[in-house]
Amino acid sequence: MSFKVKIGLEIHVQITSLKTKLFCSCSADYRGKPPNTNVCPVCMGLPGSLPVLNIRAVREAIKVALALSDISV
């Protein structure tokens, strides 16, 4: 048996142009504020809270992915 090595990278980025968080409408502006200031039941993961996906965040992430897909490695 021959094996081929595959190495993958997981990259995390922060989209700073967004005003709200990914799964709720809480403010994403945390700079200079005390911890746990901009939280709600969804942020805290409380039972029964229903997250709503921030569609603008998805659009911005797709733009970044499309821009990076043209880069040859």
Side-chain angles (χ1 to χ4, degrees):
M1 284 183 122
S2 68
F3 294 98
K4 291 185 179 182
V5 176
K6 284 191 176 183
I7 299 173
L9 296 175
E10 181 176 341
I11 300 169
H12 296 254
V13 298
Q14 181 178 6
I15 303 172
T16 58
S17 64
L18 298 176
K19 303 295 181 214
T20 59
K21 296 181 182 179
L22 184 58
F23 292 109
C24 68
S25 59
C26 291
S27 173
D29 183 24
Y30 62 87
R31 292 173 181 87
K33 295 184 180 173
N36 300 324
T37 301
N38 300 335
V39 295
C40 69
V42 173
C43 297
M44 295 170 37
L46 295 179
S49 61
L50 297 175
V52 177
L53 185 60
N54 183 343
I55 193 66
R56 184 159 178 250
V58 174
R59 288 185 182 137
E60 295 294 322
I62 290 171
K63 287 180 191 177
V64 170
L66 290 173
L68 293 175
S69 70
D70 290 339
I71 298 173
S72 60
V73 179

